[in-house]
Every structure is written in structure tokens, then in C-alpha cells.
Amino acid sequence: LGRVELLPFGDFEDYSQSDLERLKKPGISVGAAYARLQNAKGNRGILGRRPADQGTTDYNNVTVDAMFKTRGYSLDLAYFYRHGTRSAGDALDEMDAAIPAEAARNGWGAGVQTGYLLPTTNFEVAARYSAVRAADKNTSLKDLHEAGVSLNYFFANHPYKVQADYLRYWGEGARQGGEDFGQGEDQFRVQLQAAF
């Protein structure tokens, strides 16, 4: 695997999505990465369940991302592409017939998130949208969309915060399974984070 990253206006905290430093000079980060994973046993690479045929997958993964921060405002963009080639296993079903090879999870995903740290407070309002799409018919990846808003309170920078989210999921990969926004499902979440 490998990654390159450019910071044309100089170094800044580009691994935290929020502009907690309230940068007076804009910070921009642009990055790209490639990873090759051979003989992956999980259906999501090193993660996920083992395919029923017990085979493996060789994955190629590409990511491109960008971040912009200034004066409490943040914008985070990302694009992901994955293509895998399956090697079927030799697992048999209860009738001693070979279990067909499961298709690799080939496809792409993209996301955008924007946030604003309210002046003289530690509160941030944020919104995001992301999508995962199947690359072609020969994939086990299901289309999924997510849109939502968030309110964050930072006790002490990014590792210590309370986050409240409202998210809407829709698409074939959602539990309701409809491609229409109106057929989606809602999620409310409150999270307390304390990282050391």
C-alpha cells in the first residue's frame, strides 16, 4: 500500500474533520492512496464474513480525498474505488455439490461532509452525504445512500466529545431495501467519545 498527501498552504491538523484550531490561514490537504490485498479471506478484505464457498479475493483499492479548513469551517471530500477478483474455494453443500463462488464486492463510494464550529463556543453543526454504488452486475455490493446532520460538543479537542446525529439511509443495501429516499430508514444516535 502507499499514500501521498499534499498540503499546499503548509501543515495543519488534517486528520481531524473539524476546524478546532479556527485556522486564520486556510488549510488544504489533497491525498491519494492505493492498496493491494491478496488472498483476502473476508468479503470486505481483512474484515467481513468468510464467503460460503470458502475462497479468497484479491482486491485493488484506490482512494482520493481532500480537506479544506478555515475559521471554524471544514469541508471533507472522499472517493473510493475497489475491484476484486475471486478465487473460488472448494466448499461443498449438504448434497456434496460445489458452492458457487460469491461475487466480489466491486464498486465505488463517495462522501462529502461540511461543518461549522460556532463562534466562541465548542459546538459544531455538520451535515454529510455519502453513497456506495455497485460497479457492474457482477458484484455482491449493494447500493446505499446516507444523508444526515450532526451536532457536536467538544470538551477537549476531537478525542473528547459528545455527538448527536440524525441519519437517513436508503438504497438496496438498506434494511427497507428501496432505491427511493421515501423508502429509507431513520437513525438517531448519541455518542460520547473519550479516546486516549
Side-chain angles (χ1 to χ4, degrees):
L1 66 93
R3 176 173 170 81
V4 294
E5 188 173 274
L6 302 173
L7 290 89
F9 296 157
D11 196 22
F12 72 103
E13 179 53 65
D14 64 331
Y15 288 125
S16 166
Q17 293 174 319
S18 306
D19 183 19
L20 299 174
E21 294 84 17
R22 300 179 197 268
L23 297 172
K24 295 197 176 11
K25 182 175 87 169
I28 294 179
S29 168
V30 178
Y34 169 78
R36 169 114 174 126
L37 181 59
Q38 291 183 286
N39 299 319
K41 293 183 179 177
N43 68 340
R44 294 185 291 148
I46 59 172
L47 301 174
R49 64 170 174 72
R50 185 86 190 250
D53 62 77
Q54 300 295 302
T56 61
T57 311
D58 293 340
Y59 278 115
N60 292 295
N61 302 280
V62 176
T63 65
V64 179
D65 56 85
M67 176 171 283
F68 172 77
K69 289 183 181 181
T70 189
R71 301 182 186 277
Y73 174 74
S74 60
L75 176 65
D76 190 18
L77 306 166
Y79 175 81
F80 311 90
Y81 175 77
R82 175 174 58 209
H83 184 269
T85 304
R86 288 296 323 282
S87 296
D90 54 8
L92 303 174
D93 65 16
E94 53 277 348
M95 303 293 290
D96 285 335
I99 295 176
E102 181 180 311
R105 292 171 52 95
N106 295 334
W108 61 268
V112 59
Q113 177 172 299
T114 186
Y116 182 64
L117 197 62
L118 300 176
T120 69
T121 74
N122 290 332
F123 282 100
E124 179 190 46
V125 292
R128 66 176 170 260
Y129 169 77
S130 60
V132 174
R133 305 292 280 178
D136 52 40
K137 299 273 187 222
N138 187 25
T139 181
S140 59
L141 188 67
K142 296 182 184 325
D143 295 349
L144 181 63
H145 303 268
E146 171 191 299
V149 293
S150 178
L151 179 63
N152 307 309
Y153 179 77
F154 299 94
F155 296 108
N157 291 326
H158 204 272
Y160 308 99
K161 68 178 180 178
V162 174
Q163 181 172 332
D165 291 327
Y166 162 72
L167 298 167
R168 178 83 172 168
Y169 298 95
W170 71 99
E172 188 185 353
R175 275 181 275 163
Q176 302 295 331
E179 272 297 315
D180 186 341
F181 179 84
Q183 295 175 321
E185 58 197 64
D186 298 311
Q187 174 183 302
F188 295 93
R189 180 180 66 126
V190 177
Q191 170 183 312
L192 172 63
Q193 177 174 301
F196 301 95

